Amino acid sequence: MKIRNNGNISVLHSAPLDLLRAEVLSHFENIPQEQHDVPTALPYLSFIRFTRPTELSRGMLEPSMCLVLQGTKKVLIGTEITHYGSGSYVLSAIDMPISGQVVEASVAHPYLGIRIDLDAKEIAAQIIESKLSIPKNSHSHAGAYVEESDVELQEAFLRLLRLLKKPKDLAALAPLVKQEILYRLITAKDGDVLGQTVLAHYQEKGVNQAIHWIKTNYAEPMQIEKLAKTVSMSVSNLHHRFKAITIMSPLQYQKQIRLLEARKLLLSGNIEAATVAFKVGYESPSQFSREYRRLFGASPLQDMEYLKHHELDR
């Protein structure tokens, strides 16, 4: 397991970041501390706040980026743990199972973040319209990564947030500012990862189709040979390309989704672990319990008892 400290883990101060913090904090006025997310008039934009550190949580990160404005966080992507703080962002170009934890936050200095949902079609259109050249790296990257923002990206976000106070201008100008944000993300230091992943969505549809099939049919038995045939790829090529993007094999990806869905079912109400095991595709409750413990650090029963007495930080 690799541990990497982003160079920006200490609180970064810049004029745009200070203004962004003030803007986001204003949206949490009169909002209970227990509420961690605040939506905005733009459906793809939301704000995040935590007033204390959180437990390590596992989940599926949908295509999005989250810019940290205050506090520090760590994220586990594959086998690499990255610590990052104010001015940095985590970006996922595809649906990625990851683990995350807010490690520095308080009532006086809460963890603050801006989340923007990403759309592959919009990013591809930005690449084409801007005539951007996406270099091919000789080494493989996963579809999720941590990057440090520059002043230009911070200023673009500041303009977007200020538009929220100008409803008459929002519809006309927000799309333009969003285009700039996408441009800044694509042309950032590791932006080629975003560009390559999005272009692969169209140029190498096999992996994307495989991911979609697994997400839709996670409870069904999966034979890698049949899946490869379904997406018109060889077994070796599917395995190689799938792991290059998601940092895991198709079977490992399916297992992560099954266990995440199982946890949701257990949290939703009174349902026995054995029943949940069968619902998500396990034939053996004992195997389900072993793999659940391996992922979440406790048996299904112990995990539910813990979560009943502790807030589940999502």
Side-chain angles (χ1 to χ4, degrees), residues 65 89 91 118 145 153 181-188 191 194:
M65 70 85 70
Y89 59 87
L91 185 150
L118 301 177
Y145 56 92
L153 178 61
I181 290 173
L182 295 180
Y183 174 83
R184 300 294 179 190
L185 294 176
I186 297 166
T187 57
L194 174 60

Side-chain angles (χ1 to χ4, degrees), residues 222-239:
M222 181 175 65
Q223 296 182 5
I224 193 65
E225 294 82 5
K226 288 186 177 180
L227 178 60
K229 185 177 181 180
T230 299
V231 300
S232 303
M233 297 178 72
S234 68
V235 172
S236 60
N237 192 33
L238 172 60
H239 190 275

Side-chain angles (χ1 to χ4, degrees), residues 46-282:
S46 59
F47 305 131
I48 303 167
R49 178 191 65 180
F50 284 93
T51 57
R52 61 180 176 80
T54 69
E55 299 288 339
L56 182 69
S57 63
R58 300 179 185 269
M60 184 69 69
L61 182 61
E62 298 176 346
S64 61
M65 70 85 70
C66 182
L67 174 63
V68 178
L69 304 179
Q70 185 167 274
T72 59
K73 193 172 184 179
K74 71 176 180 181
V75 63
L76 172 63
I77 302 174
T79 59
E80 185 174 273
I81 297 176
T82 302
H83 297 259
Y84 60 103
S86 178
S88 294
Y89 59 87
V90 61
L91 185 150
S92 180
I94 59 172
D95 293 319
M96 285 282 290
I98 70 168
S99 303
Q101 180 178 15
V102 174
V103 296
E104 183 181 336
S106 66
V107 175
H109 298 283
Y111 170 90
L112 296 174
I114 301 173
R115 174 189 165 111
I116 183 170
D117 297 328
L118 301 177
D119 181 273
K121 291 182 179 179
E122 281 187 295
I123 296 170
Q126 183 72 46
I127 293 172
I128 294 169
E129 291 173 6
S130 301
K131 299 180 180 180
L132 296 175
S133 176
I134 306 299
K136 292 235 179 200
N137 275 335
S138 58
H139 54 288
S140 59
H141 284 281
Y145 56 92
V146 173
E147 175 72 281
E148 185 174 340
S149 67
D150 56 22
V151 173
E152 287 79 10
L153 178 61
Q154 297 166 16
E155 289 176 342
F157 267 108
L158 185 57
R159 288 195 297 276
L160 187 64
L161 267 59
R162 285 174 170 171
L163 281 174
L164 295 173
K165 299 177 180 178
K166 301 177 180 179
K168 292 183 179 179
D169 298 335
L170 192 63
L173 298 182
L176 301 177
V177 181
K178 186 181 182 183
Q179 284 183 6
E180 180 184 350
I181 290 173
L182 295 180
Y183 174 83
R184 300 294 179 190
L185 294 176
I186 297 166
T187 57
K189 177 184 174 184
D190 286 333
D192 57 324
V193 179
L194 174 60
Q196 288 176 23
T197 305
V198 168
L199 292 180
H201 176 87
Y202 298 98
Q203 298 171 352
E204 298 180 22
K205 292 185 178 180
V207 174
N208 182 64
Q209 290 171 343
I211 290 173
H212 177 74
W213 188 94
I214 295 171
K215 287 177 59 184
T216 305
N217 303 280
Y218 64 85
E220 300 297 323
M222 181 175 65
Q223 296 182 5
I224 193 65
E225 294 82 5
K226 288 186 177 180
L227 178 60
K229 185 177 181 180
T230 299
V231 300
S232 303
M233 297 178 72
S234 68
V235 172
S236 60
N237 192 33
L238 172 60
H239 190 275
H240 174 73
R241 292 295 305 139
F242 197 100
K243 195 167 185 178
I245 294 175
T246 67
I247 333 179
M248 60 191 75
S249 69
L251 286 172
Q252 291 171 327
Y253 190 85
Q254 182 193 47
K255 183 188 296 185
Q256 292 265 337
I257 292 178
R258 282 180 169 181
L259 293 172
L260 289 170
E261 290 296 326
R263 202 184 202 198
K264 289 181 184 178
L265 288 172
L266 289 168
L267 282 169
S268 65
N270 296 322
I271 181 169
E272 294 183 351
T275 302
V276 169
F278 293 125
K279 278 183 173 291
V280 299
Y282 281 88

